[in-house]
Every structure is written in C-alpha cells, then in structure tokens.
C-alpha cells in the first residue's frame, strides 16, 4: 500500500487516456448524437409544417371548389340566357322571313295577276275587234282602227 | 488454500501487489523490492488498469468510428446512452465552454467503473491463475506470486487520478482567474481583510488540498474495504457460499456509485475552478 513509482505511471496513463478520449472518442460520438438530434428536430418541424400546409391546401381546395361551383352556376345561367336570346332572335328572324316570303308571294301573285289581266285585256281587245268586225260586217282596216282598239284596251 | 497457509497470510497475500524494481542485479520482483523505496512499480495495478483503459478506449472508439447519425446499432446506442448521461451531468454542473471536461468525466467514469468491476471477479480466480502461470511457467512458488486484480484498491492509482484532477484544478484556476486572482482567492477568503491573510491562506489551502486527497481516499477506501470483505468471506470455508452473493450484489451498487461520485466531484471541482468571484 506504499506510494511508489506506480503513481507516476498511472498519471501518465491517465493523461494519455483522457487525451485519446478527448481527441478520438468524444467528438465523433457527440457530433453524431447532436446531428441526430438536429435531424429529429428538423423532421418534427417539417412534419408540423406539412400538417399546416395540408390544412392550408385543404382550405384552398375548398375555396377553389366553391369558386368553381359559383362560376359554373354563372356560366350555366349565362348559357341559359344566351339560349333564350338565341331562341328569341331565331323566332324573330323566322317571323321576318315569313313576312318577307309572304310579301314576296303577294308581289308575285300581284305580278301574275297583272300579267293575266294584261293577257286577258289583249284577248278581250282582240275579241272586241273581231266582234266589231262582225258587227260592222265589213273589212275594217285593223291597222287604221288600231288606235281605237288601243284606247279600248286601256279602258279595260 | 487456507489449509496450507494461515488466514492472516492468505489475506496478506491477497492484499499485496506484484512489485517490480530494478536492483544492482537487474530487474527484481516482489520481496526483493522491499527496500526499493519509491522506485518500485506495481505491475499488476499498471497492467490491469492500462489494459482496462485500453479496453474502454477500444470499445468506445469502435463505436465512434462507426457512429452514424441515422439509426444507431445496439452498441452505438449503449455508448450514446453513457455519453449522454455524462454530458447531461457535465452540462448541469459546469456552465463554461471547455472541451476537456466532458471527455475527462467520461474517461473517469467508465475507466473507474471497469476497474471497480474487477472486484466482482471471484477473489481467488485470477491470483490462482497467476500463481499457476508463475509456478509452471517460471518455476516460482505460487505463494510468491502476487496478483491484485482491482487497480482501484491500490492507493497509487486513485491518488494518480486525484492528482491529475488536482493539476487540472490548479491549471484552470490560474488560467481563468490569473495568478493574482487565484492568489487572492486563497488569501482574501473567507475573511476579506489583510490581517486575516495567513488564517485565510491556511483555511483555503486545506480546502484546496483536501479535494484530491478526499477523492483518492474515498475511492481507495471504498474499494479496499469491499475487497477486504470479499477476502474475509472467502476465509469462512463453507459459509462463504451464501455470503458471497449478497455482498457481490451490494457491491454492484458501490462500484457504480464510486465511479459516479469520482466523476461528479471532478466536474464540480473543475467548475469551481472556473468560477470567478
């Protein structure tokens, strides 16, 4: 139990062990622990952030959905309006077309009638001339009496 | 064993270190070294303590080399628990920035624990083995082969640890407070008056010097006593069988506690050395 040179040997050994531990054992292990702690903290933070992001995204999606619904309703409304408008326009145009066709028809009929009238008048004139020839029992120079016939025709 | 030698011889045999010294005739061992004085070496203490220290460093270094920041292996997880435990204790008691104290505390804790752990190896196993090796390998009388396997029961070792810590206390006291500040701390406390300087100096010196000696003697005393009781139980013949186990179980507590106390007090002393009044 006496104190001897062992003391010196142990002191040196102790110093060397502490030095080795300080240099090669402690720093890498503590660095690994701290690095992992940081990693875990980051991971937790990221998960928190993701959760918040998700909530936000959900909110946004709901908003977008609402907006889209409103927009769709608006579009449908507009389309309906437009359709009604189109139908109205078409109807009006149809009416106009009908009117036009009818007017045209009338005009054609009128023209036809005028033509027929003219024809009829001419025939009547010819008939009248023939009648007058027979009545007068004589040859009448058709050429000479043409002006009279013309007058007759115009009076018809 | 007790049949061949008396109980007191048996106890003395167990409590004697293997000693080596150099004499005029060359290197001598044990009884030949009785007159060697200071320049004798306790080879068993040195071998066991250095071996255990290297074992500690090798085990922890292997974990440090493979240290990953991802999922740790089982060994790394265990080492990290120890590191974290030491680091928490250091951070609780020491509020400066110092790269030495935590590794120092870790070294003390694990190394002292491993050396104390040798106490749980049955008292006769390793000395007997050493005796056989000495007898058959070197033709020595087995009773002349000494082997004390618990290095912390050697005052040389505990005092070396405590002196190492003491030198660090002095170093950091002077480094942090300066020579003047440290001198002032030794002479102007607790009575802040010039007339009290000698009284203060005596008081403070005792306080300062008590630290390494209490550190060394506490560890040595606890382990020496524990070892002695193991040896005494071993002399009881058949009765030792039921007694060894409870004492070993109780001793597990002592082993860890003494390692922890040594580490804790080192941290506290060094943090006191860093405090500027």
């Amino acid at each position: 139990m006496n104190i001897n040179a062992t003391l010196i040997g142990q002191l040196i050994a102790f110093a060397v062990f502490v030095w080795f531990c300080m240099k090669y054992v402690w720093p890498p292990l503590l660095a690994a622990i701290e690095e992992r702690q940081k990693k875990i903290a980051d991971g937790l933070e990221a998960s928190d952030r993701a959760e918040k992001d998700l909530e936000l995204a959900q909110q946004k999606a709901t908003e977008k959905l609402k907006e889209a619904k409103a927009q769709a309703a608006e579009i449908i409304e507009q389309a309906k309006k437009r359709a009604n408008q189109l139908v109205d326009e078409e109807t009006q145009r149809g009416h106009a077309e009908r009117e036009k066709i009818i007017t045209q028809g009338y005009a054609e009929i009128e023209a036809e009638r005028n033509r027929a009238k003219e024809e009829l008048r001419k025939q009547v004139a010819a008939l009248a001339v023939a009648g007058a020839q027979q009545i007068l029992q004589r040859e009448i120079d058709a050429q000479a009496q043409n002006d009279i016939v013309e007058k007759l025709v115009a009076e018809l | 064993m007790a049949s061949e030698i008396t109980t007191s011889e048996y106890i003395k045999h167990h409590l004697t270190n293997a000693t080596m010294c150099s004499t005029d005739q060359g290197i001598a061992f044990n009884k030949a070294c009785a007159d060697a004085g200071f320049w004798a070496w306790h080879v068993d203490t040195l071998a066991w303590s250095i071996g255990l220290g290297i074992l500690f460093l090798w085990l922890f270094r292997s974990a440090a080399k493979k240290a990953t920041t991802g999922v740790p292996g089982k060994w790394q997880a265990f080492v990290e628990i120890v590191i974290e435990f030491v680091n928490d204790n250091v951070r609780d008691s020491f509020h400066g920035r110092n790269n030495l104290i935590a590794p120092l505390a870790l070294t003390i804790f694990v190394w002292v624990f491993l050396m104390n752990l040798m106490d749980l190896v049955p008292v006769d196993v390793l000395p007997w083995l050493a005796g056989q090796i000495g007898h058959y390998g070197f033709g020595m009388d087995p009773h002349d082969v000494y082997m004390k396997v618990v290095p912390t029961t050697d005052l040389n070792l505990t005092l070396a640890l405590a002196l190492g810590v003491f030198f660090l206390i002095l170093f950091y006291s002077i480094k942090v407070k300066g020579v003047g500040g440290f001198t002032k701390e030794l002479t102007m406390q607790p009575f802040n008056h010039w007339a009290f300087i000698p009284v203060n100096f005596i008081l403070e010196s005792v306080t300062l010097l008590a630290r390494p000696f209490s550190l060394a003697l506490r560890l040595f005393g606890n382990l020496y006593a524990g070892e002695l009781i193991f040896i005494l139980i071993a002399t009881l013949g058949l009765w030792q069988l039921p007694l060894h186990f409870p004492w070993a179980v109780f001793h597990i507590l002592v082993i860890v506690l003494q390692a922890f106390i040594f580490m804790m007090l080192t941290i506290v002393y060094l943090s006191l050395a860093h405090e500027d009044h």
Side-chain angles (χ1 to χ4, degrees), chain A residues 107-121:
Chain A
E108 262 170 47
I109 289 164
E110 189 71 20
E112 201 69 22
R113 206 179 59 174
N114 284 348
R115 224 163 37 144
K117 241 181 188 174
E118 199 68 27
E119 195 74 19
L120 206 61
R121 212 185 277 153

Side-chain angles (χ1 to χ4, degrees), chain A residues 1-11 13-14 16-18 20-37 39, chain B residues 38-42 45-46 49-50 53 57 60-61 64 68-70 76 79-80 83-84 87 99-100 102-104 106-107 111 156-157 160-161:
Chain A
M1 209 210 306
N2 38 356
I3 299 295
N4 56 30
T6 312
L7 180 76
I8 296 167
Q10 293 294 353
L11 254 175
F14 182 42
V16 171
F17 289 158
V18 171
F20 187 88
C21 182
M22 188 172 92
K23 197 104 180 167
Y24 299 108
V25 175
W26 186 268
L29 282 168
L30 198 70
I33 291 172
E34 278 171 354
E35 182 80 26
R36 189 175 317 109
Q37 278 174 338
K39 252 189 190 171
Chain B
F38 182 78
W39 289 106
W41 306 82
H42 287 165
T45 304
L46 283 167
S49 68
I50 292 172
L57 289 175
F60 275 58
R61 175 70 188 152
T68 162
T69 57
Q76 194 192 337
V79 169
E80 280 182 9
I83 295 259
E84 198 116 32
N87 202 33
N99 291 332
L100 173 69
L104 173 76
L106 176 74
T107 309
W111 193 26
N156 286 303
L157 180 127
L161 288 182

